[in-house]
Amino acid sequence: MQLRTRVAAFFAAQFFGLGLFLPFFPLLLNEAGLSAGEIGTLLAVPMIVRLIANPLVSGLADRYATPASAITTLSLLSLVGFSGFFFIGGFVPMFLLLLVTAFVWSPLMPLGDALAARVEREGGGDYGRMRLWGSVSFIVANLIGGVLVGGWTREVVIGGIIAGLVCAVAVGRGLPGRPEAAVTDGEVRSWTGVTTVLTPGFLMVLCATGLIQASHAAYYAFSALFWAKAGIPGSAVGVFWGLGVVTEIGLFAIAGQLGLRLGIAGLLGLGAAGATLRWLLFPLATDPLSVALLQALHGLSFGASHLGAVAYVARTAPPRWAGTAQGVMSMMVGLLTALASAMAGQLYSLGPELAFHAMAGLSAAGGALLVASALRRRWRGGGAGL
């Protein structure tokens, strides 16, 4: 099996579990007899854990492991962790198990991104075409879960996540070791490579991409409520979300050609512009046709900004510390999304327009930071900016 096929298979395996966890894990917790407050607390655990786990575990993996051993070990530990949900119940046991499981499950995403970016950099494949299979798998898991979840929620959700992780373990065993050009004795013995990455210019670009991604917070939390209030049937909500992911898949399919034409700065700028336009118009889209047309912007607001961010980190970070750098980016996105979610919750209660227009402000601020980074790099004659 070719390396790009293995990486695509890893994305598919990982996103299959995510496609069951995000929409259906709350149902499992509800069937376990937990209160709404307890469910909310448990759902916040993975989001908080990844702020620490992604950069920390990715850094340890970069220093002490190969992509093959890191992804295989973390997938296996995640499999064991999720298996525990077959045997326990109650808030405290579930809280502790989810805390431990999220610590080894969350870093798989930045490690996968780092590996796919490396494969592309070495001429072995196109990042977008590898990553799109994760999005396809996510939709498939949504559809399977929607049909089968009911009387067997625990078996479907946990069993499906475990099945995905079994595939990830199998695929991980065939992934490569460290890139030869990236390893020097000094890099192996110290963390010097990490500190050379975390420059003000690098962090400025990461903050900009984080703001663009965080602008989706109101959409994730309140789109279904907003559409329901507008009279759009609940059955259409899943279709609209799926349509957004389909446009994302379409963008990933042409990512190679698009990246060559626009470059990293062009992709990030397109993401910022698409997100700003999307959230400005979102409160005006109250009928199925306008909602469907606006969902097509998901390919830009999420897809283009994600592609640009991954490519920027891959270009800037030393290959030896690629996973660590992707983990730092994931932490930045997670932190800003959590803050944006809290802001969106306060503003939505005052009026949906305020919440979505605030998200437009965040993405516009991200675009302004990108411009500032480009000007800073030109003024300084180089560096880690755009």
Side-chain angles (χ1 to χ4, degrees):
M1 184 186 295
Q2 291 184 316
L3 179 55
R4 63 175 177 267
T5 304
R6 287 187 177 276
V7 176
F10 168 73
F11 278 130
Q14 179 71 0
F15 274 85
F16 186 82
L18 199 62
L20 290 169
F21 181 86
L22 289 179
F24 303 118
F25 194 70
L27 299 181
L28 181 153
L29 299 177
N30 182 65
E31 289 189 2
L34 273 61
S35 67
E38 290 172 334
I39 292 174
T41 300
L42 286 178
L43 294 179
V45 167
M47 292 186 286
I48 295 172
V49 166
R50 76 173 183 170
L51 299 180
I52 301 171
N54 285 8
L56 176 60
V57 176
S58 296
L60 293 172
D62 279 344
R63 186 175 185 187
Y64 297 111
T66 65
S69 61
I71 287 175
T72 301
T73 301
L74 291 173
S75 297
L76 186 59
L77 292 173
S78 300
L79 188 159
V80 173
F82 275 110
S83 298
F85 285 100
F86 279 125
F87 308 105
I88 65 168
F91 173 73
V92 173
M94 285 187 158
F95 176 89
L96 294 175
L97 181 58
L98 187 58
L99 184 70
V100 174
T101 303
F103 205 87
V104 292
W105 191 45
S106 295
L108 284 167
M109 203 63 70
L111 288 173
D113 280 335
L115 177 59
R118 168 188 161 186
V119 171
E120 181 176 60
R121 185 174 61 249
E122 295 176 350
D126 183 303
Y127 172 86
R129 294 189 177 184
M130 290 181 278
R131 172 62 175 75
L132 71 82
W133 290 105
S135 299
V136 171
S137 181
F138 186 89
I139 293 178
V140 170
N142 288 170
L143 296 174
I144 291 175
V147 172
L148 297 181
V149 163
W152 300 90
T153 301
R154 186 185 298 258
E155 288 77 8
V156 172
V157 175
I158 301 302
I161 293 172
I162 290 173
L165 288 168
V166 168
C167 294
V169 171
V171 170
R173 292 171 61 87
L175 295 177
R178 295 190 184 98
E180 292 181 6
V183 181
T184 67
D185 290 340
E187 282 183 316
V188 172
R189 288 195 297 263
S190 73
W191 294 90
T192 305
V194 178
T195 58
T196 58
V197 173
L198 302 180
T199 63
F202 181 80
L203 294 175
M204 181 183 289
V205 176
L206 256 61
C207 184
T209 61
L211 286 170
I212 300 168
Q213 294 287 13
S215 73
H216 293 73
Y219 168 72
Y220 295 147
F222 299 112
S223 59
L225 294 176
F226 178 78
W227 291 332
K229 188 176 180 180
I232 294 174
S235 58
V237 172
V239 174
F240 289 144
W241 269 63
L243 178 60
V245 179
V246 167
T247 65
E248 170 190 317
I249 292 170
L251 189 83
F252 286 159
I254 61 171
Q257 303 94 304
L258 199 63
L260 288 175
R261 290 189 177 187
L262 299 179
I264 293 173
L267 285 171
L268 290 173
L270 194 61
T276 302
L277 179 63
R278 185 183 185 187
W279 309 132
L280 284 175
L281 296 179
F282 198 93
L284 303 177
T286 56
D287 63 273
L289 178 59
S290 61
V291 171
L293 291 173
L294 202 56
Q295 283 297 90
L297 287 175
H298 187 78
L300 300 183
S301 67
F302 174 82
S305 56
H306 177 77
L307 287 172
V310 170
Y312 170 76
V313 172
R315 184 193 73 182
T316 307
R320 179 70 177 82
W321 300 104
T324 306
Q326 296 289 351
V328 172
M329 182 182 74
S330 176
M331 178 189 69
M332 182 72 78
V333 170
L335 176 61
L336 291 174
T337 300
L339 295 174
S341 297
M343 178 176 70
Q346 295 297 320
L347 292 176
Y348 193 87
S349 62
L350 300 175
E353 296 84 0
L354 288 174
F356 287 107
H357 288 166
M359 298 301 106
L362 288 181
S363 55
L369 262 182
L370 293 174
V371 174
S373 173
L375 293 175
R376 179 182 184 274
R377 188 170 189 265
R378 179 172 298 181
W379 178 59
R380 289 175 173 262
L386 286 176

